[in-house]
Amino acid sequence: MIHTLFQIFVFQVLFLAVYDLFLKKETFFNLNRLYLLIAPILGFILPFVSLGFIQQRIPQEYIIQLPAVVIGGGVSEMVSSGNNWWIPNFTALWIFGMVLSALLLCVKFYKIIKLKFTANTQKFPKFKLVTLPKTDIAFSFFNSIFLGENISEENKASIIAHEKIHIEQKHSLDLLFFEMLRIVFWFNPMIYLFQNRIATLHEYIADAKVTIQKDKKQYYQSLLSEVFQTEKISFINTFFNQSLIKKRIIMLQKSKSTKTAQFKYLLLLPIICGMLVYTACSNDPKAEEQKNVSQSDSEVMNKINELAEAIMKKGEMTPEEEKALKLLTTEAQPGDKVYTSVQEYLNETEDTLRINKNQDYLIAEIEKVPTYPGCSGDNETLKKCFTKRISAFIGENFNTKLGKDLGLTGRQRIVVQFKIDKSGSIADVKAKAPKPELEAEAIRIVQKLPQMQPGEQDGKKVSVIYSLPIVFEVK
């Protein structure tokens, strides 16, 4: 999650940087408005877009993390070392922030409603004029224009003409859209910056429209003649914002941008393409790790199970078949040779492991899988229950402090192979890990598993082999 939020933030920073550096000073106001509305949404969407044809053209070693191969239809689980406590806390904090932001929005609405009740309202064909007593406030919200009675009469005409543009162009909807984003993503500073940019752009649009009909010098005078108050409400179009007046006058003095300047918008194409390549190559390591060790019903696992079932139906495996099966069921480690084919592996390695000589079964769809004490139901239910119980057992009994004692950091992976024999006992426990101490600890825990009810095939009790990946993180 953190990785995805970081990607969203970076993408939105890039989009805003393009606007500030290349587009902000152009007079293509409507295009800029569209850009500012679409850019933050693209920033949210692109991290979740992963185009397959891009992935296919990128060397696989950069985009695929080898998962632990699970033989057992779903007995792997990431063992928590107590470092995931922040996940529910972060969710609770997120929700709390959303509730608080929604309440603040309600307070803003209340302020506007309160102003309406203390003012005199006049209805016109396309807008309502709300005159506020004893103030010089000037702003609009949807089809209402709020004017303080202290504003001079000669300025009121310019202000009303300006605010009517906001109403006609429905600028309040833009600002309200960003208010909704601020509720959901209250912690993302880029939403506030995008809202600020579009509020400024709204003023440029209205100024440009008004000065087509009015004398620019007279309009400048209305901007500079008095110091006006402003309401600190983020979704209203405020006419006299002192920090914006200088920018508005500078923009009014600018010549119209040439049509060739529109080519600047083409900068978006390489940026978006670069983002798509990045998302195709980049995955959240932690999320991928959890996905790899927990999603046992993947297509790869189905193929492995089908292969195992085909081998079992033969009754016996040849030495070559045993070697090939070991290649499929052995977890790759950094530095291991990568074989381009099974035949290459068979030609170069001698295998000493025999996993089917005594009619041991892999966890393909046998008639009845081994049963953990207390589990019941059909095969799928039994497998899910087995996964849950054994994961909980490992999590409760594994000495996660061992990683620190050994001076290890980061994720540690252990693959344990064990057999539930014809009597339901745990047998032939083996482990592979970065350190012998981790292997010994994993073997110790697995050997403590309770007596199981053995699996059955063709009405006979059979042995079943499991491969159990254990993943935990040492801080």
Short mmCIF file of all heavy atoms in Angstrom, two decimals, residues 5-48:
data_model
loop_
_atom_site.label_atom_id
_atom_site.label_comp_id
_atom_site.label_asym_id
_atom_site.label_seq_id
_atom_site.Cartn_x
_atom_site.Cartn_y
_atom_site.Cartn_z
N LEU A 5 0.90 4.30 -2.76
CA LEU A 5 0.66 5.70 -2.41
C LEU A 5 1.85 6.57 -2.81
O LEU A 5 1.67 7.71 -3.27
CB LEU A 5 0.40 5.82 -0.90
CG LEU A 5 -0.91 5.22 -0.38
CD1 LEU A 5 -0.97 5.32 1.13
CD2 LEU A 5 -2.12 5.91 -1.01
N PHE A 6 3.05 6.02 -2.66
CA PHE A 6 4.24 6.77 -3.07
C PHE A 6 4.25 6.99 -4.58
O PHE A 6 4.59 8.08 -5.07
CB PHE A 6 5.51 6.02 -2.63
CG PHE A 6 6.78 6.69 -3.06
CD1 PHE A 6 7.24 7.83 -2.42
CD2 PHE A 6 7.53 6.18 -4.12
CE1 PHE A 6 8.41 8.46 -2.82
CE2 PHE A 6 8.69 6.79 -4.53
CZ PHE A 6 9.14 7.94 -3.88
N GLN A 7 3.86 5.95 -5.34
CA GLN A 7 3.79 6.10 -6.79
C GLN A 7 2.78 7.18 -7.18
O GLN A 7 3.04 8.01 -8.06
CB GLN A 7 3.39 4.77 -7.44
CG GLN A 7 4.50 3.75 -7.52
CD GLN A 7 4.06 2.51 -8.26
OE1 GLN A 7 2.89 2.15 -8.28
NE2 GLN A 7 5.01 1.83 -8.88
N ILE A 8 1.61 7.16 -6.54
CA ILE A 8 0.58 8.17 -6.82
C ILE A 8 1.14 9.57 -6.58
O ILE A 8 0.97 10.47 -7.40
CB ILE A 8 -0.66 7.92 -5.95
CG1 ILE A 8 -1.38 6.64 -6.40
CG2 ILE A 8 -1.62 9.11 -6.01
CD1 ILE A 8 -2.49 6.21 -5.47
N PHE A 9 1.82 9.73 -5.45
CA PHE A 9 2.38 11.04 -5.11
C PHE A 9 3.41 11.48 -6.15
O PHE A 9 3.38 12.63 -6.63
CB PHE A 9 3.03 10.96 -3.72
CG PHE A 9 3.74 12.22 -3.30
CD1 PHE A 9 3.02 13.31 -2.84
CD2 PHE A 9 5.11 12.32 -3.37
CE1 PHE A 9 3.66 14.48 -2.47
CE2 PHE A 9 5.77 13.48 -3.00
CZ PHE A 9 5.04 14.56 -2.54
N VAL A 10 4.31 10.59 -6.54
CA VAL A 10 5.35 10.94 -7.51
C VAL A 10 4.75 11.29 -8.86
O VAL A 10 5.14 12.28 -9.50
CB VAL A 10 6.36 9.77 -7.65
CG1 VAL A 10 7.31 10.02 -8.82
CG2 VAL A 10 7.16 9.61 -6.37
N PHE A 11 3.75 10.51 -9.31
CA PHE A 11 3.13 10.79 -10.60
C PHE A 11 2.44 12.14 -10.58
O PHE A 11 2.51 12.91 -11.55
CB PHE A 11 2.14 9.69 -10.96
CG PHE A 11 2.78 8.37 -11.30
CD1 PHE A 11 2.01 7.25 -11.52
CD2 PHE A 11 4.15 8.24 -11.41
CE1 PHE A 11 2.58 6.03 -11.84
CE2 PHE A 11 4.75 7.04 -11.72
CZ PHE A 11 3.95 5.93 -11.95
N GLN A 12 1.76 12.46 -9.50
CA GLN A 12 1.07 13.75 -9.41
C GLN A 12 2.07 14.90 -9.34
O GLN A 12 1.82 15.98 -9.90
CB GLN A 12 0.14 13.76 -8.20
CG GLN A 12 -1.08 12.87 -8.37
CD GLN A 12 -1.97 12.86 -7.16
OE1 GLN A 12 -1.59 13.26 -6.07
NE2 GLN A 12 -3.20 12.40 -7.35
N VAL A 13 3.20 14.69 -8.69
CA VAL A 13 4.25 15.71 -8.67
C VAL A 13 4.75 15.98 -10.09
O VAL A 13 4.94 17.14 -10.50
CB VAL A 13 5.43 15.27 -7.77
CG1 VAL A 13 6.65 16.16 -7.99
CG2 VAL A 13 5.03 15.32 -6.30
N LEU A 14 4.93 14.93 -10.87
CA LEU A 14 5.39 15.09 -12.25
C LEU A 14 4.37 15.85 -13.09
O LEU A 14 4.73 16.76 -13.86
CB LEU A 14 5.67 13.73 -12.88
CG LEU A 14 6.91 12.99 -12.37
CD1 LEU A 14 6.98 11.59 -12.97
CD2 LEU A 14 8.18 13.76 -12.70
N PHE A 15 3.10 15.51 -12.94
CA PHE A 15 2.05 16.20 -13.69
C PHE A 15 1.99 17.68 -13.31
O PHE A 15 1.83 18.54 -14.18
CB PHE A 15 0.70 15.55 -13.44
CG PHE A 15 0.48 14.27 -14.20
CD1 PHE A 15 0.03 13.13 -13.56
CD2 PHE A 15 0.72 14.21 -15.55
CE1 PHE A 15 -0.18 11.95 -14.26
CE2 PHE A 15 0.53 13.03 -16.27
CZ PHE A 15 0.08 11.90 -15.62
N LEU A 16 2.10 17.97 -12.02
CA LEU A 16 2.06 19.37 -11.59
C LEU A 16 3.29 20.13 -12.05
O LEU A 16 3.21 21.31 -12.41
CB LEU A 16 1.92 19.44 -10.06
CG LEU A 16 1.62 20.84 -9.50
CD1 LEU A 16 0.26 21.32 -9.99
CD2 LEU A 16 1.66 20.83 -7.98
N ALA A 17 4.44 19.45 -12.06
CA ALA A 17 5.67 20.09 -12.53
C ALA A 17 5.56 20.47 -14.01
O ALA A 17 6.00 21.55 -14.42
CB ALA A 17 6.86 19.16 -12.31
N VAL A 18 4.95 19.61 -14.81
CA VAL A 18 4.74 19.93 -16.23
C VAL A 18 3.85 21.16 -16.36
O VAL A 18 4.12 22.06 -17.17
CB VAL A 18 4.10 18.72 -16.95
CG1 VAL A 18 3.62 19.12 -18.35
CG2 VAL A 18 5.10 17.58 -17.05
N TYR A 19 2.81 21.22 -15.55
CA TYR A 19 1.91 22.37 -15.61
C TYR A 19 2.64 23.65 -15.21
O TYR A 19 2.56 24.67 -15.92
CB TYR A 19 0.72 22.15 -14.69
CG TYR A 19 -0.22 23.34 -14.64
CD1 TYR A 19 -1.14 23.57 -15.66
CD2 TYR A 19 -0.17 24.26 -13.58
CE1 TYR A 19 -1.98 24.67 -15.64
CE2 TYR A 19 -1.01 25.36 -13.55
CZ TYR A 19 -1.91 25.56 -14.58
OH TYR A 19 -2.73 26.65 -14.55
N ASP A 20 3.35 23.62 -14.09
CA ASP A 20 4.01 24.84 -13.60
C ASP A 20 5.13 25.31 -14.53
O ASP A 20 5.34 26.51 -14.70
CB ASP A 20 4.57 24.59 -12.20
CG ASP A 20 3.50 24.66 -11.13
OD1 ASP A 20 2.36 25.07 -11.44
OD2 ASP A 20 3.78 24.28 -9.97
N LEU A 21 5.85 24.36 -15.12
CA LEU A 21 7.00 24.74 -15.93
C LEU A 21 6.64 25.12 -17.36
O LEU A 21 7.28 25.98 -17.97
CB LEU A 21 8.02 23.59 -15.96
CG LEU A 21 8.71 23.27 -14.63
CD1 LEU A 21 9.58 22.03 -14.77
CD2 LEU A 21 9.56 24.44 -14.15
N PHE A 22 5.60 24.47 -17.92
CA PHE A 22 5.35 24.65 -19.34
C PHE A 22 3.97 25.22 -19.70
O PHE A 22 3.81 25.83 -20.75
CB PHE A 22 5.52 23.31 -20.07
CG PHE A 22 6.87 22.68 -19.90
CD1 PHE A 22 7.06 21.62 -19.05
CD2 PHE A 22 7.97 23.19 -20.58
CE1 PHE A 22 8.30 21.04 -18.88
CE2 PHE A 22 9.22 22.62 -20.43
CZ PHE A 22 9.40 21.54 -19.57
N LEU A 23 2.97 25.01 -18.85
CA LEU A 23 1.60 25.33 -19.25
C LEU A 23 0.98 26.50 -18.50
O LEU A 23 0.09 27.17 -19.02
CB LEU A 23 0.71 24.09 -19.06
CG LEU A 23 1.17 22.81 -19.76
CD1 LEU A 23 0.24 21.66 -19.41
CD2 LEU A 23 1.24 23.01 -21.26
N LYS A 24 1.43 26.75 -17.31
CA LYS A 24 0.77 27.74 -16.44
C LYS A 24 0.72 29.13 -17.04
O LYS A 24 -0.26 29.86 -16.85
CB LYS A 24 1.49 27.77 -15.08
CG LYS A 24 0.82 28.68 -14.07
CD LYS A 24 1.45 28.51 -12.68
CE LYS A 24 2.87 28.97 -12.64
NZ LYS A 24 3.40 28.96 -11.24
N LYS A 25 1.75 29.51 -17.78
CA LYS A 25 1.82 30.88 -18.33
C LYS A 25 1.17 31.02 -19.69
O LYS A 25 1.15 32.11 -20.26
CB LYS A 25 3.28 31.32 -18.40
CG LYS A 25 3.93 31.44 -17.03
CD LYS A 25 5.38 31.89 -17.13
CE LYS A 25 6.02 32.00 -15.76
NZ LYS A 25 7.44 32.43 -15.83
N GLU A 26 0.65 29.92 -20.22
CA GLU A 26 -0.03 29.99 -21.52
C GLU A 26 -1.48 30.43 -21.33
O GLU A 26 -2.06 30.28 -20.24
CB GLU A 26 0.01 28.62 -22.21
CG GLU A 26 1.41 28.07 -22.44
CD GLU A 26 2.26 28.96 -23.34
OE1 GLU A 26 1.67 29.72 -24.14
OE2 GLU A 26 3.50 28.88 -23.26
N THR A 27 -2.06 30.96 -22.39
CA THR A 27 -3.44 31.46 -22.30
C THR A 27 -4.47 30.46 -22.81
O THR A 27 -5.61 30.82 -23.09
CB THR A 27 -3.57 32.78 -23.10
OG1 THR A 27 -3.24 32.52 -24.47
CG2 THR A 27 -2.66 33.84 -22.53
N PHE A 28 -4.07 29.20 -22.91
CA PHE A 28 -5.02 28.15 -23.27
C PHE A 28 -5.76 27.72 -22.00
O PHE A 28 -5.57 26.63 -21.47
CB PHE A 28 -4.29 26.96 -23.89
CG PHE A 28 -3.44 27.31 -25.08
CD1 PHE A 28 -2.08 27.07 -25.06
CD2 PHE A 28 -4.00 27.89 -26.20
CE1 PHE A 28 -1.29 27.39 -26.15
CE2 PHE A 28 -3.22 28.23 -27.31
CZ PHE A 28 -1.85 27.97 -27.27
N PHE A 29 -6.61 28.61 -21.52
CA PHE A 29 -7.20 28.40 -20.20
C PHE A 29 -8.08 27.16 -20.13
O PHE A 29 -8.05 26.43 -19.14
CB PHE A 29 -8.00 29.64 -19.80
CG PHE A 29 -7.16 30.89 -19.71
CD1 PHE A 29 -7.58 32.07 -20.29
CD2 PHE A 29 -5.95 30.88 -19.03
CE1 PHE A 29 -6.81 33.23 -20.20
CE2 PHE A 29 -5.18 32.03 -18.93
CZ PHE A 29 -5.60 33.21 -19.52
N ASN A 30 -8.87 26.92 -21.15
CA ASN A 30 -9.77 25.77 -21.10
C ASN A 30 -9.00 24.45 -21.16
O ASN A 30 -9.35 23.48 -20.47
CB ASN A 30 -10.79 25.84 -22.25
CG ASN A 30 -11.81 26.94 -22.03
OD1 ASN A 30 -12.19 27.23 -20.91
ND2 ASN A 30 -12.26 27.57 -23.12
N LEU A 31 -7.93 24.42 -21.97
CA LEU A 31 -7.09 23.23 -22.01
C LEU A 31 -6.39 23.01 -20.67
O LEU A 31 -6.27 21.88 -20.18
CB LEU A 31 -6.05 23.34 -23.13
CG LEU A 31 -6.56 23.14 -24.56
CD1 LEU A 31 -5.44 23.40 -25.56
CD2 LEU A 31 -7.12 21.74 -24.74
N ASN A 32 -5.93 24.11 -20.07
CA ASN A 32 -5.29 23.99 -18.76
C ASN A 32 -6.28 23.52 -17.70
O ASN A 32 -5.91 22.75 -16.80
CB ASN A 32 -4.68 25.33 -18.35
CG ASN A 32 -3.36 25.61 -19.03
OD1 ASN A 32 -2.81 24.74 -19.70
ND2 ASN A 32 -2.85 26.82 -18.89
N ARG A 33 -7.51 23.99 -17.81
CA ARG A 33 -8.53 23.55 -16.86
C ARG A 33 -8.75 22.05 -16.99
O ARG A 33 -8.82 21.32 -15.98
CB ARG A 33 -9.84 24.30 -17.12
CG ARG A 33 -10.97 23.90 -16.18
CD ARG A 33 -12.26 24.58 -16.59
NE ARG A 33 -13.37 24.22 -15.72
CZ ARG A 33 -14.64 24.56 -15.94
NH1 ARG A 33 -14.95 25.29 -17.02
NH2 ARG A 33 -15.59 24.18 -15.12
N LEU A 34 -8.86 21.56 -18.22
CA LEU A 34 -9.03 20.13 -18.45
C LEU A 34 -7.83 19.36 -17.92
O LEU A 34 -7.98 18.29 -17.30
CB LEU A 34 -9.22 19.87 -19.95
CG LEU A 34 -9.58 18.45 -20.36
CD1 LEU A 34 -10.92 18.04 -19.79
CD2 LEU A 34 -9.59 18.32 -21.88
N TYR A 35 -6.64 19.89 -18.14
CA TYR A 35 -5.42 19.24 -17.67
C TYR A 35 -5.44 19.10 -16.14
O TYR A 35 -5.13 18.03 -15.60
CB TYR A 35 -4.21 20.06 -18.11
CG TYR A 35 -2.88 19.50 -17.64
CD1 TYR A 35 -2.16 18.64 -18.44
CD2 TYR A 35 -2.37 19.83 -16.39
CE1 TYR A 35 -0.94 18.11 -18.02
CE2 TYR A 35 -1.16 19.32 -15.95
CZ TYR A 35 -0.45 18.46 -16.77
OH TYR A 35 0.74 17.94 -16.33
N LEU A 36 -5.77 20.19 -15.45
CA LEU A 36 -5.75 20.17 -13.98
C LEU A 36 -6.82 19.25 -13.40
O LEU A 36 -6.66 18.74 -12.27
CB LEU A 36 -5.93 21.59 -13.44
CG LEU A 36 -4.74 22.53 -13.65
CD1 LEU A 36 -5.10 23.94 -13.20
CD2 LEU A 36 -3.51 22.03 -12.90
N LEU A 37 -7.88 19.01 -14.13
CA LEU A 37 -8.91 18.09 -13.66
C LEU A 37 -8.54 16.64 -13.90
O LEU A 37 -8.82 15.76 -13.09
CB LEU A 37 -10.26 18.39 -14.33
CG LEU A 37 -10.95 19.69 -13.92
CD1 LEU A 37 -12.16 19.95 -14.80
CD2 LEU A 37 -11.37 19.64 -12.45
N ILE A 38 -7.87 16.39 -15.03
CA ILE A 38 -7.55 15.01 -15.40
C ILE A 38 -6.26 14.53 -14.75
O ILE A 38 -6.15 13.36 -14.35
CB ILE A 38 -7.44 14.89 -16.94
CG1 ILE A 38 -8.81 15.09 -17.58
CG2 ILE A 38 -6.87 13.55 -17.34
CD1 ILE A 38 -8.80 15.07 -19.08
N ALA A 39 -5.27 15.41 -14.62
CA ALA A 39 -3.94 15.00 -14.14
C ALA A 39 -3.96 14.28 -12.80
O ALA A 39 -3.35 13.22 -12.67
CB ALA A 39 -3.00 16.22 -14.09
N PRO A 40 -4.63 14.82 -11.76
CA PRO A 40 -4.61 14.09 -10.49
C PRO A 40 -5.29 12.73 -10.56
O PRO A 40 -4.87 11.79 -9.90
CB PRO A 40 -5.34 15.03 -9.52
CG PRO A 40 -6.13 15.96 -10.37
CD PRO A 40 -5.35 16.10 -11.64
N ILE A 41 -6.32 12.62 -11.42
CA ILE A 41 -6.99 11.33 -11.57
C ILE A 41 -6.07 10.33 -12.27
O ILE A 41 -6.00 9.15 -11.89
CB ILE A 41 -8.30 11.49 -12.37
CG1 ILE A 41 -9.24 12.45 -11.62
CG2 ILE A 41 -8.99 10.14 -12.57
CD1 ILE A 41 -9.58 12.03 -10.23
N LEU A 42 -5.35 10.80 -13.30
CA LEU A 42 -4.36 9.92 -13.94
C LEU A 42 -3.31 9.47 -12.95
O LEU A 42 -2.85 8.32 -12.99
CB LEU A 42 -3.69 10.66 -15.10
CG LEU A 42 -4.43 10.69 -16.43
CD1 LEU A 42 -3.64 11.51 -17.45
CD2 LEU A 42 -4.68 9.29 -16.95
N GLY A 43 -2.93 10.38 -12.05
CA GLY A 43 -1.95 10.01 -11.02
C GLY A 43 -2.45 8.88 -10.14
O GLY A 43 -1.66 8.04 -9.69
N PHE A 44 -3.76 8.85 -9.90
CA PHE A 44 -4.33 7.76 -9.09
C PHE A 44 -4.44 6.47 -9.89
O PHE A 44 -4.28 5.38 -9.33
CB PHE A 44 -5.73 8.15 -8.59
CG PHE A 44 -5.73 9.18 -7.50
CD1 PHE A 44 -6.43 10.37 -7.66
CD2 PHE A 44 -5.04 8.97 -6.33
CE1 PHE A 44 -6.43 11.33 -6.65
CE2 PHE A 44 -5.04 9.91 -5.32
CZ PHE A 44 -5.73 11.10 -5.49
N ILE A 45 -4.72 6.57 -11.18
CA ILE A 45 -5.01 5.39 -11.99
C ILE A 45 -3.75 4.68 -12.46
O ILE A 45 -3.66 3.43 -12.41
CB ILE A 45 -5.89 5.78 -13.20
CG1 ILE A 45 -7.27 6.24 -12.72
CG2 ILE A 45 -6.03 4.61 -14.17
CD1 ILE A 45 -8.15 6.78 -13.83
N LEU A 46 -2.75 5.44 -12.92
CA LEU A 46 -1.58 4.84 -13.57
C LEU A 46 -0.84 3.80 -12.72
O LEU A 46 -0.36 2.81 -13.27
CB LEU A 46 -0.62 5.94 -14.02
CG LEU A 46 -1.09 6.75 -15.24
CD1 LEU A 46 -0.09 7.86 -15.55
CD2 LEU A 46 -1.27 5.85 -16.45
N PRO A 47 -0.70 3.97 -11.39
CA PRO A 47 -0.01 2.93 -10.62
C PRO A 47 -0.69 1.57 -10.68
O PRO A 47 -0.06 0.55 -10.38
CB PRO A 47 -0.03 3.49 -9.19
CG PRO A 47 -0.10 4.96 -9.36
CD PRO A 47 -0.98 5.16 -10.56
N PHE A 48 -1.97 1.55 -11.06
CA PHE A 48 -2.69 0.28 -11.11
C PHE A 48 -2.77 -0.27 -12.54
O PHE A 48 -3.36 -1.33 -12.76
CB PHE A 48 -4.11 0.46 -10.56
CG PHE A 48 -4.14 0.91 -9.14
CD1 PHE A 48 -4.31 2.26 -8.83
CD2 PHE A 48 -3.97 0.01 -8.10
CE1 PHE A 48 -4.33 2.69 -7.51
CE2 PHE A 48 -3.98 0.43 -6.79
CZ PHE A 48 -4.16 1.76 -6.48
#
